[in-house]
Coordinates of all heavy atoms in Angstrom, one line a residue:
M1303 N 59.0 121.9 80.1 CA 59.6 120.6 80.3 C 59.3 119.7 79.1 O 58.2 119.3 78.9 CB 59.0 120.0 81.6 CG 59.7 118.8 82.1 SD 59.4 118.3 83.8 CE 57.6 118.2 83.8
R1304 N 60.4 119.4 78.4 CA 60.1 118.5 77.3 C 60.8 117.2 77.4 O 61.9 117.1 77.9 CB 60.7 119.2 76.0 CG 59.9 120.3 75.5 CD 60.3 120.7 74.1 NE 61.7 120.9 74.1 CZ 62.4 120.8 73.0 NH1 61.9 120.3 71.9 NH2 63.7 121.0 73.0
M1305 N 60.0 116.1 77.1 CA 60.6 114.8 77.2 C 60.8 114.3 75.8 O 59.9 114.4 74.9 CB 59.7 113.8 77.9 CG 59.4 114.3 79.3 SD 60.8 114.1 80.4 CE 60.8 112.3 80.6
T1306 N 62.0 113.7 75.5 CA 62.2 113.1 74.2 C 62.5 111.7 74.4 O 63.0 111.3 75.4 CB 63.3 113.8 73.4 OG1 64.5 113.5 74.0 CG2 63.1 115.3 73.4
K1307 N 62.3 110.9 73.3 CA 62.6 109.5 73.4 C 64.0 109.2 73.0 O 64.5 108.0 73.0 CB 61.6 108.7 72.5 CG 60.3 108.6 73.1 CD 59.3 107.8 72.2 CE 57.9 107.9 72.6 NZ 57.0 107.6 71.6
E1308 N 64.7 110.2 72.6 CA 66.1 110.0 72.1 C 67.0 109.6 73.3 O 66.9 110.2 74.4 CB 66.7 111.3 71.5 CG 66.1 111.5 70.1 CD 66.5 112.9 69.6 OE1 67.7 113.0 69.4 OE2 65.7 113.7 69.3
R1309 N 67.9 108.7 73.0 CA 68.8 108.3 74.1 C 70.0 109.2 74.0 O 71.1 108.8 73.6 CB 69.2 106.8 73.9 CG 69.7 106.5 72.6 CD 70.2 105.1 72.4 NE 70.8 104.9 71.1 CZ 72.1 104.7 71.0 NH1 72.9 104.5 72.0 NH2 72.6 104.6 69.8
Q1310 N 69.8 110.4 74.4 CA 70.9 111.4 74.5 C 70.9 112.1 75.8 O 70.2 113.1 76.0 CB 70.8 112.4 73.3 CG 71.5 111.9 72.1 CD 71.6 113.0 71.0 OE1 70.7 113.9 71.0 NE2 72.6 113.0 70.3
P1311 N 71.6 111.5 76.7 CA 71.6 112.1 78.1 C 72.1 113.5 78.2 O 71.4 114.4 77.7 CB 72.5 111.1 78.8 CG 72.8 110.0 78.0 CD 72.5 110.4 76.6
A1312 N 73.3 113.7 78.7 CA 73.7 115.1 78.9 C 74.4 115.7 77.7 O 74.7 116.8 77.8 CB 74.7 115.0 80.1
M1313 N 74.6 114.9 76.7 CA 75.4 115.4 75.6 C 74.6 115.9 74.5 O 74.0 115.1 73.8 CB 76.4 114.4 75.2 CG 76.3 113.2 76.0 SD 76.8 111.7 75.1 CE 76.4 110.4 76.3
R1314 N 74.6 117.2 74.3 CA 73.7 117.7 73.2 C 74.4 117.9 71.9 O 73.8 117.9 70.9 CB 73.2 119.1 73.7 CG 72.3 119.0 74.8 CD 71.3 120.2 74.9 NE 70.7 120.3 76.2 CZ 71.2 121.0 77.2 NH1 72.3 121.8 77.0 NH2 70.7 121.1 78.4
T1315 N 75.7 118.0 72.0 CA 76.5 118.3 70.7 C 77.3 117.1 70.4 O 77.7 116.3 71.3 CB 77.4 119.5 70.9 OG1 78.4 119.2 71.9 CG2 76.6 120.7 71.3
L1316 N 77.7 117.0 69.1 CA 78.5 115.9 68.7 C 79.9 116.0 69.4 O 80.5 115.0 69.8 CB 78.7 115.9 67.2 CG 79.4 114.7 66.5 CD1 78.7 113.4 66.9 CD2 79.4 114.9 65.0
R1317 N 80.3 117.2 69.6 CA 81.6 117.4 70.2 C 81.6 116.9 71.7 O 82.5 116.2 72.1 CB 81.9 118.9 70.2 CG 83.1 119.4 71.0 CD 84.4 118.9 70.5 NE 84.7 119.0 69.1 CZ 85.8 119.5 68.6 NH1 86.7 120.0 69.3 NH2 85.9 119.5 67.3
G1318 N 80.5 117.2 72.4 CA 80.3 116.7 73.7 C 80.3 115.2 73.8 O 80.8 114.6 74.7
W1319 N 79.6 114.7 72.8 CA 79.5 113.2 72.8 C 80.9 112.6 72.6 O 81.3 111.6 73.2 CB 78.6 112.8 71.6 CG 78.6 111.3 71.4 CD1 77.9 110.4 72.0 CD2 79.4 110.7 70.4 NE1 78.2 109.1 71.5 CE2 79.2 109.3 70.5 CE3 80.4 111.1 69.5 CZ2 79.8 108.3 69.7 CZ3 81.0 110.1 68.7 CH2 80.7 108.8 68.8
A1320 N 81.7 113.2 71.6 CA 83.0 112.6 71.3 C 83.9 112.7 72.6 O 84.6 111.8 72.9 CB 83.6 113.4 70.2
I1321 N 83.8 113.8 73.3 CA 84.6 114.0 74.5 C 84.2 112.9 75.5 O 85.1 112.3 76.2 CB 84.4 115.4 75.1 CG1 85.2 116.4 74.2 CG2 84.9 115.5 76.5 CD1 84.9 117.8 74.6
S1322 N 82.9 112.6 75.7 CA 82.5 111.6 76.7 C 83.0 110.2 76.3 O 83.3 109.4 77.1 CB 81.0 111.7 76.9 OG 80.3 111.1 75.7
V1323 N 83.0 110.0 75.0 CA 83.5 108.7 74.5 C 85.0 108.5 74.8 O 85.4 107.5 75.2 CB 83.2 108.5 73.0 CG1 84.0 107.3 72.4 CG2 81.7 108.3 72.7
L1324 N 85.7 109.6 74.5 CA 87.1 109.6 74.8 C 87.4 109.4 76.3 O 88.4 108.7 76.7 CB 87.8 110.9 74.3 CG 87.9 110.9 72.7 CD1 88.1 112.3 72.2 CD2 89.1 110.0 72.3
Q1325 N 86.6 110.0 77.1 CA 86.8 109.9 78.6 C 86.5 108.5 79.0 O 87.2 107.9 79.8 CB 85.9 110.8 79.3 CG 86.5 112.2 79.5 CD 85.6 113.1 80.3 OE1 84.4 113.4 80.0 NE2 86.1 113.5 81.5
E1326 N 85.4 107.9 78.4 CA 85.0 106.6 78.8 C 86.1 105.6 78.4 O 86.4 104.6 79.1 CB 83.8 106.3 78.0 CG 82.9 105.1 78.5 CD 81.7 105.0 77.7 OE1 81.0 106.0 77.4 OE2 81.4 103.8 77.3
A1327 N 86.8 105.8 77.3 CA 87.8 104.9 76.8 C 89.1 105.2 77.5 O 90.1 104.4 77.4 CB 88.0 105.1 75.3
G1328 N 89.2 106.3 78.2 CA 90.4 106.6 78.9 C 91.5 107.3 78.0 O 92.7 107.3 78.3
A1329 N 91.0 107.8 76.9 CA 92.0 108.4 76.0 C 92.2 109.9 76.3 O 93.2 110.4 75.8 CB 91.4 108.3 74.5
I1330 N 91.4 110.5 77.1 CA 91.6 111.8 77.5 C 91.3 111.9 79.0 O 90.6 111.1 79.6 CB 90.8 112.9 76.8 CG1 89.3 112.6 77.0 CG2 91.1 112.9 75.3 CD1 88.4 113.7 76.4
R1331 N 91.8 112.9 79.6 CA 91.5 113.1 81.0 C 91.4 114.6 81.3 O 92.0 115.4 80.5 CB 92.4 112.4 82.0 CG 93.8 113.0 81.9 CD 94.8 112.1 82.7 NE 96.1 112.6 82.6 CZ 96.6 113.5 83.5 NH1 95.9 114.0 84.4 NH2 97.9 114.0 83.3
E1332 N 90.8 115.0 82.4 CA 90.7 116.3 82.8 C 91.7 116.7 83.8 O 91.9 116.0 84.8 CB 89.3 116.5 83.4 CG 88.7 117.9 83.3 CD 87.3 117.9 83.8 OE1 86.6 116.9 83.6 OE2 86.8 118.9 84.4
C1333 N 92.3 117.9 83.6 CA 93.2 118.4 84.7 C 92.4 118.6 85.9 O 91.5 119.4 85.9 CB 94.0 119.6 84.2 SG 94.9 120.4 85.6
E1334 N 92.8 118.0 87.0 CA 92.0 118.1 88.3 C 92.1 119.6 88.8 O 91.1 120.0 89.4 CB 92.6 117.2 89.3 CG 92.2 115.8 89.1 CD 92.9 114.8 90.0 OE1 93.4 115.3 91.1 OE2 92.9 113.6 89.8
E1335 N 93.1 120.3 88.5 CA 93.3 121.6 89.0 C 92.6 122.7 88.1 O 92.0 123.6 88.6 CB 94.8 122.0 89.1 CG 95.1 122.7 90.4 CD 96.6 122.9 90.4 OE1 97.3 121.9 90.2 OE2 97.0 124.0 90.7
H1336 N 92.7 122.5 86.8 CA 92.2 123.5 85.9 C 91.0 123.1 85.0 O 90.4 124.0 84.4 CB 93.3 124.1 85.0 CG 94.5 124.4 85.8 ND1 95.7 123.7 85.8 CD2 94.8 125.5 86.6 CE1 96.6 124.3 86.6 NE2 96.1 125.4 87.1
G1337 N 90.8 121.8 84.9 CA 89.6 121.4 84.2 C 89.8 121.3 82.7 O 88.9 121.1 81.9
W1338 N 91.1 121.5 82.2 CA 91.4 121.3 80.8 C 91.4 119.9 80.4 O 91.9 119.1 81.2 CB 92.7 122.0 80.4 CG 92.8 123.4 80.5 CD1 93.1 124.2 81.6 CD2 92.5 124.4 79.4 NE1 93.0 125.5 81.3 CE2 92.7 125.7 80.0 CE3 92.1 124.2 78.1 CZ2 92.5 126.8 79.2 CZ3 91.9 125.3 77.3 CH2 92.1 126.6 77.9
M1339 N 90.9 119.6 79.3 CA 91.0 118.2 78.7 C 92.4 118.0 78.2 O 92.9 118.8 77.4 CB 89.9 118.0 77.7 CG 88.5 117.8 78.2 SD 88.4 116.5 79.4 CE 86.7 116.6 79.8
Q1340 N 93.0 116.9 78.5 CA 94.3 116.5 77.9 C 94.2 115.2 77.2 O 93.6 114.3 77.8 CB 95.3 116.4 79.0 CG 95.4 117.6 79.9 CD 96.0 117.2 81.3 OE1 95.4 117.3 82.3 NE2 97.3 116.8 81.2
A1341 N 94.8 115.1 76.1 CA 94.9 113.8 75.4 C 96.0 113.0 76.1 O 97.0 113.5 76.5 CB 95.2 113.9 74.0
R1342 N 95.7 111.7 76.3 CA 96.7 110.9 76.9 C 97.5 110.1 75.8 O 96.8 109.7 74.8 CB 96.1 109.9 77.9 CG 95.4 110.5 79.1 CD 94.8 109.5 80.0 NE 95.8 108.6 80.5 CZ 95.5 107.3 80.6 NH1 94.3 106.8 80.3 NH2 96.4 106.5 81.1
A1343 N 98.7 110.0 76.0 CA 99.5 109.3 74.9 C 99.3 107.8 75.1 O 100.2 107.0 75.4 CB 101.0 109.6 75.0
D1344 N 98.1 107.4 74.7 CA 97.7 106.0 74.9 C 97.0 105.5 73.6 O 95.8 105.7 73.5 CB 96.8 105.8 76.1 CG 96.5 104.3 76.4 OD1 96.7 103.5 75.5 OD2 96.0 104.0 77.5
P1345 N 97.7 105.0 72.7 CA 97.2 104.6 71.4 C 96.0 103.6 71.6 O 95.1 103.6 70.8 CB 98.3 103.9 70.6 CG 99.6 104.3 71.4 CD 99.2 104.7 72.8
H1346 N 96.1 102.7 72.5 CA 95.1 101.7 72.7 C 93.8 102.3 73.2 O 92.7 101.9 72.8 CB 95.6 100.6 73.8 CG 96.8 99.9 73.3 ND1 96.8 99.0 72.2 CD2 98.1 99.9 73.7 CE1 98.0 98.6 72.1 NE2 98.8 99.1 73.0
A1347 N 93.9 103.3 74.1 CA 92.7 104.0 74.6 C 92.1 104.8 73.4 O 90.9 104.8 73.3 CB 93.1 104.9 75.7
Q1348 N 92.9 105.4 72.6 CA 92.4 106.1 71.4 C 91.7 105.2 70.5 O 90.7 105.5 69.9 CB 93.6 106.9 70.7 CG 94.2 107.9 71.6 CD 95.3 108.7 70.9 OE1 95.5 108.5 69.7 NE2 95.9 109.6 71.7
E1349 N 92.3 104.0 70.2 CA 91.7 103.1 69.3 C 90.4 102.6 69.9 O 89.4 102.4 69.1 CB 92.7 101.9 69.2 CG 92.3 100.9 68.1 CD 92.0 101.6 66.7 OE1 92.8 102.5 66.3 OE2 91.0 101.2 66.1
R1350 N 90.3 102.4 71.2 CA 89.1 102.0 71.8 C 88.0 103.0 71.6 O 86.8 102.7 71.3 CB 89.2 101.8 73.4 CG 89.5 100.4 73.8 CD 89.2 100.2 75.3 NE 89.8 101.2 76.2 CZ 91.1 101.0 76.6 NH1 91.8 100.0 76.2 NH2 91.6 101.9 77.4
A1351 N 88.3 104.3 71.7 CA 87.4 105.3 71.5 C 86.9 105.4 70.1 O 85.7 105.5 69.9 CB 88.0 106.7 71.9
L1352 N 87.8 105.1 69.2 CA 87.4 105.1 67.7 C 86.5 103.9 67.4 O 85.5 104.0 66.6 CB 88.6 105.1 66.9 CG 89.5 106.4 66.9 CD1 90.8 106.2 66.2 CD2 88.7 107.5 66.3
V1353 N 86.7 102.8 68.1 CA 85.9 101.6 67.9 C 84.5 101.9 68.4 O 83.5 101.6 67.8 CB 86.5 100.4 68.6 CG1 85.5 99.3 68.7 CG2 87.7 99.9 67.8
I1354 N 84.4 102.5 69.6 CA 83.1 102.9 70.2 C 82.4 103.8 69.3 O 81.2 103.6 69.0 CB 83.3 103.6 71.6 CG1 83.9 102.6 72.6 CG2 81.9 104.1 72.1 CD1 84.3 103.2 73.9
A1355 N 83.1 104.8 68.7 CA 82.4 105.8 67.8 C 81.9 105.1 66.6 O 80.8 105.4 66.1 CB 83.5 106.9 67.4
R1356 N 82.6 104.2 66.1 CA 82.2 103.5 64.8 C 81.0 102.6 65.1 O 80.1 102.5 64.3 CB 83.4 102.7 64.3 CG 83.3 102.3 62.8 CD 84.6 101.6 62.4 NE 85.7 102.5 62.5 CZ 86.9 102.2 63.1 NH1 87.0 101.0 63.7 NH2 87.9 103.0 63.1
Q1357 N 81.0 101.9 66.3 CA 80.0 100.9 66.5 C 78.8 101.5 67.1 O 77.7 101.0 67.0 CB 80.6 99.8 67.4 CG 81.6 99.0 66.7 CD 82.2 97.9 67.7 OE1 82.0 98.0 68.9 NE2 82.9 97.0 67.1
D1358 N 78.9 102.6 67.8 CA 77.8 103.2 68.6 C 77.7 104.7 68.5 O 77.8 105.4 69.5 CB 77.9 102.7 70.0 CG 76.6 103.0 70.8 OD1 75.5 103.2 70.1 OD2 76.6 103.1 72.0
P1359 N 77.6 105.2 67.2 CA 77.5 106.6 67.1 C 76.2 107.1 67.6 O 75.2 106.4 67.8 CB 77.5 106.8 65.5 CG 77.1 105.5 65.0 CD 77.4 104.5 66.0
P1360 N 76.1 108.4 67.9 CA 74.8 109.0 68.4 C 73.7 108.9 67.4 O 74.1 108.8 66.2 CB 75.1 110.5 68.7 CG 76.6 110.6 68.5 CD 77.1 109.5 67.7
S1361 N 72.5 108.9 67.8 CA 71.4 108.7 66.8 C 71.4 109.8 65.8 O 71.6 111.0 66.2 CB 70.1 108.7 67.5 OG 69.9 109.8 68.4
G1362 N 71.3 109.5 64.6 CA 71.3 110.5 63.5 C 72.7 110.9 63.0 O 72.8 111.7 62.1
V1363 N 73.7 110.2 63.6 CA 75.1 110.5 63.1 C 75.7 109.3 62.5 O 75.5 108.2 63.0 CB 75.9 111.0 64.3 CG1 77.4 111.2 63.9 CG2 75.3 112.3 64.9
S1364 N 76.3 109.4 61.4 CA 76.9 108.3 60.7 C 78.2 107.9 61.4 O 78.8 108.7 62.1 CB 77.2 108.6 59.2 OG 78.3 109.5 59.2
P1365 N 78.5 106.6 61.4 CA 79.8 106.1 62.0 C 81.0 106.9 61.5 O 81.8 107.3 62.3 CB 79.9 104.7 61.5 CG 78.5 104.3 61.2 CD 77.8 105.5 60.7
E1366 N 81.0 107.3 60.2 CA 82.1 108.1 59.7 C 82.2 109.4 60.4 O 83.3 109.9 60.7 CB 82.0 108.3 58.2 CG 82.1 107.0 57.4 CD 80.9 106.1 57.4 OE1 79.8 106.6 57.8 OE2 81.0 104.9 57.2
A1367 N 81.1 110.1 60.5 CA 81.1 111.4 61.1 C 81.4 111.3 62.6 O 82.1 112.2 63.1 CB 79.7 112.0 61.0
A1368 N 81.0 110.2 63.2 CA 81.3 110.1 64.7 C 82.8 109.9 64.8 O 83.4 110.5 65.7 CB 80.5 108.9 65.2
V1369 N 83.4 109.0 64.0 CA 84.8 108.7 64.1 C 85.6 110.0 63.8 O 86.6 110.3 64.5 CB 85.2 107.6 63.1 CG1 86.7 107.5 62.9 CG2 84.7 106.3 63.6
A1370 N 85.2 110.7 62.8 CA 85.8 112.0 62.4 C 85.8 113.0 63.5 O 86.8 113.7 63.8 CB 85.2 112.6 61.1
E1371 N 84.7 113.0 64.2 CA 84.6 114.0 65.4 C 85.6 113.6 66.5 O 86.2 114.4 67.1 CB 83.2 114.1 65.9 CG 82.9 115.1 66.9 CD 83.1 116.5 66.4 OE1 83.1 116.7 65.2 OE2 83.3 117.4 67.3
V1372 N 85.6 112.3 66.8 CA 86.5 111.8 67.8 C 88.0 112.1 67.5 O 88.7 112.6 68.3 CB 86.3 110.3 68.1 CG1 87.4 109.7 69.0 CG2 85.0 110.0 68.7
R1373 N 88.3 111.9 66.2 CA 89.7 112.2 65.8 C 90.0 113.7 65.9 O 91.0 114.1 66.3 CB 89.9 111.8 64.3 CG 90.1 110.3 64.1 CD 90.5 110.1 62.6 NE 90.4 108.7 62.2 CZ 91.2 107.8 62.6 NH1 92.2 108.0 63.4 NH2 91.0 106.5 62.2
D1374 N 88.9 114.5 65.5 CA 89.1 115.9 65.6 C 89.3 116.4 67.0 O 90.2 117.3 67.2 CB 87.8 116.6 65.0 CG 88.0 118.0 64.6 OD1 89.0 118.3 64.0 OD2 87.2 118.9 65.1
V1375 N 88.6 115.9 67.9 CA 88.8 116.2 69.3 C 90.2 115.9 69.8 O 90.9 116.7 70.4 CB 87.7 115.6 70.2 CG1 88.1 115.8 71.7 CG2 86.3 116.1 69.9
L1376 N 90.6 114.7 69.4 CA 92.0 114.2 69.8 C 93.0 115.2 69.2 O 94.0 115.6 69.9 CB 92.2 112.8 69.2 CG 91.8 111.7 70.1 CD1 92.1 110.3 69.4 CD2 92.5 111.7 71.5
D1377 N 92.8 115.6 67.9 CA 93.8 116.4 67.3 C 93.8 117.8 67.9 O 94.9 118.5 68.0 CB 93.4 116.6 65.8 CG 93.8 115.4 65.0 OD1 94.5 114.5 65.5 OD2 93.3 115.3 63.8
S1378 N 92.7 118.2 68.5 CA 92.6 119.6 69.0 C 93.1 119.7 70.4 O 93.4 120.8 70.9 CB 91.1 120.1 68.9 OG 90.3 119.4 69.9
L1379 N 93.3 118.6 71.1 CA 93.7 118.6 72.4 C 95.2 118.4 72.5 O 95.8 117.5 71.8 CB 93.0 117.5 73.3 CG 91.5 117.7 73.5 CD1 91.0 116.5 74.2 CD2 91.2 118.9 74.2
G1380 N 95.9 119.1 73.4 CA 97.3 118.8 73.7 C 97.4 117.7 74.7 O 96.4 117.2 75.2
D1381 N 98.6 117.3 74.9 CA 98.8 116.2 75.9 C 99.2 116.8 77.3 O 99.5 116.1 78.2 CB 99.8 115.2 75.5 CG 101.1 115.8 75.1 OD1 101.3 117.0 75.3 OD2 102.0 115.0 74.7
T1382 N 99.1 118.1 77.4 CA 99.4 118.7 78.7 C 98.3 119.8 78.9 O 97.7 120.3 78.0 CB 100.8 119.4 78.7 OG1 100.9 120.2 77.6 CG2 101.9 118.4 78.8
C1383 N 98.1 120.2 80.2 CA 97.2 121.3 80.5 C 98.0 122.6 80.3 O 99.1 122.8 80.8 CB 96.8 121.1 82.0 SG 96.0 122.6 82.6
P1384 N 97.4 123.5 79.5 CA 98.0 124.8 79.2 C 98.4 125.6 80.5 O 99.3 126.3 80.5 CB 97.1 125.5 78.3 CG 95.8 124.7 78.3 CD 96.1 123.4 78.9
E1385 N 97.5 125.4 81.5 CA 97.8 126.2 82.7 C 98.7 125.5 83.7 O 99.2 126.1 84.6 CB 96.4 126.4 83.4 CG 95.6 127.4 82.7 CD 94.3 127.8 83.4 OE1 94.4 128.2 84.6 OE2 93.2 127.6 82.8
C1386 N 99.0 124.2 83.5 CA 100.0 123.6 84.3 C 101.4 123.8 83.8 O 102.4 123.7 84.5 CB 99.8 122.0 84.3 SG 98.4 121.5 85.4
L1387 N 101.5 124.3 82.5 CA 102.8 124.6 82.0 C 103.4 125.8 82.6 O 102.7 126.7 82.9 CB 102.7 124.8 80.4 CG 102.2 123.6 79.6 CD1 102.0 124.1 78.2 CD2 103.3 122.6 79.6
P1388 N 104.7 125.8 82.8 CA 105.4 127.0 83.3 C 105.2 128.1 82.3 O 105.3 127.9 81.1 CB 106.8 126.5 83.4 CG 107.0 125.3 82.6 CD 105.6 124.7 82.5
A1389 N 105.0 129.3 82.8 CA 104.8 130.4 81.9 C 106.0 130.8 81.0 O 107.1 130.6 81.5 CB 104.4 131.7 82.7
Ligands
ZN1253 ZN1 96.2 122.1 84.9

């Protein structure tokens, strides 16, 4: 059992952090049926997420790297759930 003073709750990776920021901003959501993350076509929510990343990056991560990761997650996600699509 290790205790650290770092303020890093459940997110151990930068990717996990970026996803949580995007969820918080409402820029992505999870398919209720399949659990896939989907980007929402909401430029304002995406902008909010980028602002959060810039202003409040995880400890030890530069704002630039945090913003880059959030953008990368957005780029990697489709706007639909792959399993919801007709085969
Ligand atoms: Zn789905």
